[in-house]
Amino acid sequence: MKEHFESKIVDLETKVSRLEAKVKKQDSIVAVLKKGHKPFTDNVDINRHRRHNATLRTCHEIHAANPSYASGMYWIDPDGQGIGDPPIHVHCDMVAKKNSRMKVIAEEIQPGTTSILHDSESEMDIGHCVEPGCYSRPIKYYASERQMAALIQLSNSCAQNITYNCRNSPLNYDGITYAWWNDKDGERHQFADWLTSCDQLSGKKHAVNDGVKDGRLPFTRVHFSNPFKGSGQHIVGRMRCSGKAKVEAMPTSCQDLWRMGHTLNAIYSVRGAKRMENVFCQFDKRPNEQGFQKWIGYVDVKSRPTYFHVQKNRTFYSENVAIPFEVEKVNVGNAMDLKTGIFTAPRDGLYFFSFTGLASAKPSKGTVFAAVGLFLNAVQVGEAWVHEADISVNHDSPLTLQSTLTLKAQDRVWLQITSLGDTGFLYDDANGYNHFNGFMLDEEITRSL
C-alpha cells in the first residue's frame, strides 16, 4: 500500500508541474497581448500581414533590411511567403549581447539572431520519481517542425542549451544513466560526460549547463529522475539561429536558389559539375522532401562561342608542317589563325573538327599516295589516306577526316601532310577544294565561371 501511495504522489506531483507550466504559458501569452502583439495562431492577422507586407524569412534578413530595428517579437516565414506553413512569431535579437545561459556553445548572441519560443523556458521541478528517465517532458515549440527545419537550413548556425539545477540528483551514477534528451528525430542522447557535478551526491546544490550546436536540433523531450531523494530543476533554452547559410555566388541546386529567396515553382538553370543544367524546383516542398528538385537536362551555354570554316585557294606540297589557309569563311571567336593554320581552344570543352581535301597526282608507273593527319599539341590523333597505282593521267582523289576531341584551354589543333608520293600534292585554286571546319560542341562552363 505504501508503495502504491508513493507512486500516486509521484504522478500527482508530475501533473502539478505540468499544470504549472500551462499556467505560465497562458501568462506569457497574456503578457504578449498586453504589449500589443498578436499570437501567431491568428490566421486572419497572418493573411492581412501577407497582403500588406513582405514577410522575411529570418531575423537575420530583417536586421539586414533595417539594422535600426529594435529587439523584440517579429513575424517570419522561413519556408517562404505564401507557401508551406503559416508565418511564426519569434524573438529577434537585433544587437550583440552576452548570453550567460549559453556559455557552453556560444559567447554572445549575434545581431539578427532568431529565437524560437516554447513551453519549457521557465524553471521546472522534476519531482521525486526514482526510475531512470521517469520524469519525461515534451518540449512544445511555438512553431511548426517544417518552419523550424527551414530556419535551420537558412541559418549559418543554430544552438540550444539545457540548464539543470541539482542536489543529489545525478545524470549518470554507478554505470546507470538517469537523464537524457531526445533530438528532432526522437533519438536519445546522454548529457555531456564532463557534467559530473550532479553525479557526486555531495549534498551541495549545483548548476550544470549542456548545449548542442548541430543538426540534431531542436530538443523534443527531456528525461530526468530523482533516485536519491534530492532535488532537480531544468530550464530548456530557446533554439537560437544566427547568420545566413553560405551559398555559392552561382547556384548549384534548388536548395541554393531557395536559400537565396526564390519561391516560385519553375524551371531554373544551375551550375552543374561541368555544364549548366536545367532543374525543376518545387519550392512548396522542403529541400529534404521528395520532389523538391527534378533534373531536366543540360543547357547549351557557351561563355565564348567558337566555330570556324577556312579554305585554301592554292596548291600545297609541304610535308610535316601545319597547313595554312588563305580564305576565311567564318571565324567566330577568332580561335583559328588563318596564316599558321593552327586552332587554339579558348575554353575547356568538347570540340568537333572536319577536313575535306583534294589529293592530286601526276602520271606515275609506281604507287602514288597522300595522307593528311590531324594533330593535337604535336600528337597525331587522326589521318585521311589515299593511294593509287600505275596512273597514266593526272588523277584526283578526295580526302575526308572527322574527329571529336576533348580539349583544355590553350590546346592547339592543326592539319599537316604526313605522307606524300613523288608526284602527289594537295590541289587547289580559286574554287576552294580544301576545307577545314571546327566548332565547340559543349563547354565545361564551370571552369569559366
Side-chain angles (χ1 to χ4, degrees):
M1 288 292 290
K2 181 180 179 181
E3 292 180 354
H4 173 73
F5 281 119
E6 286 179 347
S7 176
K8 288 289 186 182
I9 290 171
V10 169
D11 289 341
L12 288 172
E13 288 177 338
T14 303
K15 289 179 180 179
V16 168
S17 296
R18 290 176 178 174
L19 288 172
E20 288 176 345
K22 289 182 179 180
V23 170
K24 289 180 180 179
K25 176 183 176 182
Q26 295 300 321
D27 288 342
S28 66
I29 293 174
V30 170
V32 169
L33 291 172
K34 285 181 178 179
K35 291 180 180 179
H37 299 294
K38 295 182 179 181
F40 81 100
T41 53
D42 187 345
N43 291 322
V44 175
D45 180 70
I46 288 171
N47 292 330
R48 188 183 303 116
H49 183 78
R50 282 177 173 173
R51 286 195 300 268
H52 297 291
N53 301 282
T55 306
L56 298 180
R57 299 181 299 170
T58 67
C59 293
H60 177 84
E61 290 186 1
I62 295 174
H63 178 74
N66 191 337
S68 66
Y69 282 150
S71 298
M73 299 298 294
Y74 289 82
W75 293 99
I76 63 171
D77 198 354
D79 69 352
Q81 185 173 356
I83 60 175
D85 291 353
I88 56 176
H89 213 198
V90 301
H91 185 271
C92 295
D93 289 292
M94 298 304 190
V95 294
K97 63 180 181 180
K98 296 292 183 181
N99 182 16
S100 59
R101 286 190 176 184
M102 299 182 73
K103 293 178 181 177
V104 177
I105 50 179
E107 294 184 354
E108 67 177 29
I109 295 174
Q110 300 297 322
T113 294
T114 304
S115 295
I116 302 294
L117 284 64
H118 58 78
D119 66 348
S120 302
E121 296 180 30
S122 59
E123 186 176 81
M124 297 185 176
D125 194 274
I126 67 168
H128 301 285
C129 66
V130 298
E131 295 299 322
C134 55
Y135 171 88
S136 178
R137 179 174 180 82
I139 313 300
K140 299 189 182 300
Y141 294 88
Y142 304 145
S144 67
E145 291 182 9
R146 179 189 177 94
Q147 290 283 35
M148 288 192 289
L151 174 64
I152 291 171
Q153 291 171 329
L154 289 169
S155 303
N156 180 56
S157 65
C158 295
Q160 191 172 15
N161 77 314
I162 299 177
T163 299
Y164 187 50
N165 300 317
C166 59
R167 179 186 287 114
N168 288 350
S169 179
L171 303 175
N172 298 278
Y173 187 77
D174 198 22
I176 299 175
T177 299
Y178 287 98
W180 60 87
W181 56 273
N182 297 101
D183 64 18
K184 63 182 178 63
D185 299 317
E187 294 293 325
R188 172 173 163 173
H189 301 276
Q190 295 185 30
F191 289 94
D193 294 337
W194 48 266
L195 299 177
T196 59
S197 300
C198 291
D199 303 338
Q200 296 174 3
L201 304 184
S202 63
K204 296 180 181 180
K205 188 172 183 178
H206 301 278
V208 296
N209 188 288
D210 193 13
V212 175
K213 191 177 183 180
D214 58 27
R216 297 175 291 177
L217 295 177
F219 299 134
T220 55
R221 185 179 287 269
V222 292
H223 304 262
F224 295 94
S225 62
N226 191 358
F228 301 108
K229 297 182 179 180
S231 64
Q233 299 83 35
H234 68 77
I235 302 171
V236 179
R238 299 173 180 178
M239 185 181 79
R240 288 184 165 90
C241 295
S242 60
K244 181 179 180 179
K246 183 179 179 181
V247 179
E248 297 292 336
M250 180 68 70
T252 61
S253 64
C254 291
Q255 183 167 354
D256 283 351
L257 291 165
W258 173 73
R259 284 173 172 165
M260 290 176 174
H262 292 274
T263 59
L264 180 64
N265 294 345
I267 295 175
Y268 294 84
S269 292
V270 297
R271 187 180 71 180
K274 293 185 177 180
R275 288 176 265 174
M276 296 297 293
E277 301 176 4
N278 273 342
V279 292
F280 176 75
C281 301
Q282 190 166 342
F283 289 121
D284 50 8
K285 295 180 179 291
R286 290 281 59 76
N288 58 345
E289 295 176 351
Q290 186 175 3
F292 175 72
Q293 174 175 312
K294 182 178 180 180
W295 189 79
I296 303 298
Y298 293 106
V299 184
D300 186 14
V301 177
K302 298 178 179 67
S303 63
R304 186 174 174 180
T306 303
Y307 42 96
F308 70 90
H309 174 199
V310 294
Q311 293 177 313
K312 291 197 67 61
N313 62 11
R314 65 185 67 164
T315 297
F316 190 74
Y317 297 88
S318 301
E319 296 182 55
N320 302 319
V321 295
I323 300 174
F325 293 85
E326 293 77 43
V327 180
E328 180 182 278
K329 292 291 188 180
V330 178
N331 193 11
V332 175
N334 296 314
M336 165 56 75
D337 187 322
L338 194 69
K339 293 182 179 179
T340 65
I342 296 175
F343 171 86
T344 303
R347 298 283 189 269
D348 292 9
L350 193 67
Y351 293 78
F352 175 79
F353 298 94
S354 174
F355 168 71
T356 58
L358 185 64
S360 296
K362 296 178 181 180
S364 174
K365 292 184 179 180
T367 300
V368 295
F369 52 86
V372 174
L374 183 68
F375 285 77
L376 167 59
N377 297 332
V379 176
Q380 185 173 328
V381 293
E383 188 176 60
W385 169 276
V386 293
H387 72 278
E388 297 287 346
D390 297 325
I391 297 175
S392 58
V393 297
N394 290 344
H395 185 77
D396 297 325
S397 296
L399 289 166
T400 60
L401 173 64
Q402 292 86 35
S403 183
T404 301
L405 301 174
T406 298
L407 304 181
K408 298 294 184 182
Q410 303 305 311
D411 278 350
R412 305 200 309 165
V413 177
W414 65 87
L415 297 166
Q416 68 183 48
I417 297 175
T418 55
S419 184
L420 197 62
D422 292 338
T423 63
F425 54 92
L426 285 180
Y427 176 76
D428 221 316
D429 57 25
N431 291 315
Y433 298 108
N434 294 274
H435 302 255
F436 188 23
N437 300 270
F439 54 89
M440 181 193 296
L441 288 170
D442 285 307
E443 179 181 350
E444 291 189 18
I445 193 70
T446 55
R447 296 182 179 271
S448 303
L449 298 176

